[in-house]
Amino acid sequence: MTQAVPLFSELRFEQDSVTGLWHLEANFTHWRGHGAWQREDQFSDGTLRLIGLLWALQDGDGLLLLEEPELSLNDSIVGHIPLVIDRVLRDRKKRLSARQVLISTHSEVLLAQVDAKAVLLIEPGSNGSTIRPPLEEELISMAHGLNPAEVLLPKTHPQALDQLGLFE
Amino acid sequence: MKRLLVVGEDALCCALGERLFAACLPGWQLAQTSINTQGITKLVPALERYAKQAKHVQPVLCIADTDGTCAADLLAKWLPSSTHAHFLLRLAVTEAESWLMADRAGFAQVLAVPMNKLPQRPDEEADPKRLLLTLARKSKKRLIRDEVVSSSDASKPGSGYNLHLCAFARTHWNARCAAQSSPSLARAMNRLASLGATHG
């Protein structure tokens, strides 16, 4: 967290003395010696999302569904998401826990970092969306230089998008 | 069906690449949606990957701008050490905009600008983007004036720059007409045609 969020230094739980509810508080360093403590309702969307992501990955053993984890995050952080997930799951495997993580994403940066065989494509069609693994020819392309962001992601772009802006 | 992959440093290069492909390789098919690397700084490090694709999977046509540097120098600097004959990196002299303006009749008609203001030798134009913006600013079509040129700074592209120019490239731009006034485009088309002739 300290590497990803500027000025972030410490995270703690604090109980509200009036309501008794627990709150997340983070310390952000600044020119004063002790920095500033902020509650979760003051965090940026990206900080909240990153805390949520790291927390969800390490909490529980069941199937984890992540919907567009890239939202609100800087691309340089998004590029690290596959590695973070890999590391957390690898640690768990040592303890014989086989957790599966399913991610839905539109992120080029994220897709450029994942293994081609781990990607499923959701294709919208007239009878709803279908999910398919990459075709043989797509796998061959991805085995020789191209990544899933280049081969699979363009297939999810709306077909008539180039003309949209020309409507008068 | 023989297939080719188009890669461009921006949306305009991709659109031009697709048109060149259609003009020079009839009967071929695009392998997939063209890859827009969104900038030369991302294209150059990826060239090795695309060269690998050309060697093992299908021919690849890469289009980029020279931006005023000598094309031969850039090729020597950028091209991976050994490239397969199916990997074509073609550089637009000076920019993709030069190739676009090289189709003088088409450009003048679609962007509603006077044809006599368009350069006879677009490859020799030092700053084709600036020239294009200067012309677009005086277009007879309001939409072109308002969207191709930035409203706050007339020397900068507007929010519809890519959209209008790509739409022109895809629908009206004539590669063969353009090649008559742009030698760098003519060379690119020759190379593409000879790829078609040699690719069994």
Side-chain angles (χ1 to χ4, degrees), chain A residues 1 4-5 44-54 67-81 84 107 109-110:
Chain A
M1 285 295 296
V5 183
S44 72
D45 285 0
T47 305
L48 273 178
R49 185 161 278 266
L50 200 57
I51 293 173
L53 179 68
L54 295 172
E67 186 175 11
E68 303 187 32
E70 71 269 20
L71 298 182
S72 309
L73 292 179
N74 186 300
D75 270 357
S76 57
I77 300 173
V78 174
H80 282 97
I81 291 179
V84 169
S107 167
V109 182
L110 200 155

Side-chain angles (χ1 to χ4, degrees), chain A residues 141 144-145 150 162 166 168, chain B residues 32 49-50 53 56 163 170:
Chain A
S141 277
H144 296 98
E150 293 168 328
D162 288 339
L166 290 181
E168 290 174 41
Chain B
Q32 60 162 71
R49 294 195 294 114
Y50 300 134
Q53 176 81 181
H56 297 284
L163 191 87
R170 290 210 168 89

Side-chain angles (χ1 to χ4, degrees), chain A residues 98-140:
Chain A
R99 185 171 208 192
Q100 195 173 20
V101 180
L102 270 181
I103 302 175
S104 70
T105 182
H106 293 290
S107 167
E108 236 178 279
V109 182
L110 200 155
L111 279 170
Q113 304 293 330
V114 295
D115 178 25
K117 288 181 183 156
V119 184
L120 294 170
L121 186 66
I122 304 175
E123 284 181 315
S126 50
N127 290 322
S129 296
T130 49
I131 301 181
R132 67 163 177 87
L135 305 172
E136 189 58 35
E137 60 189 48
E138 292 163 346
L139 285 172
I140 292 174

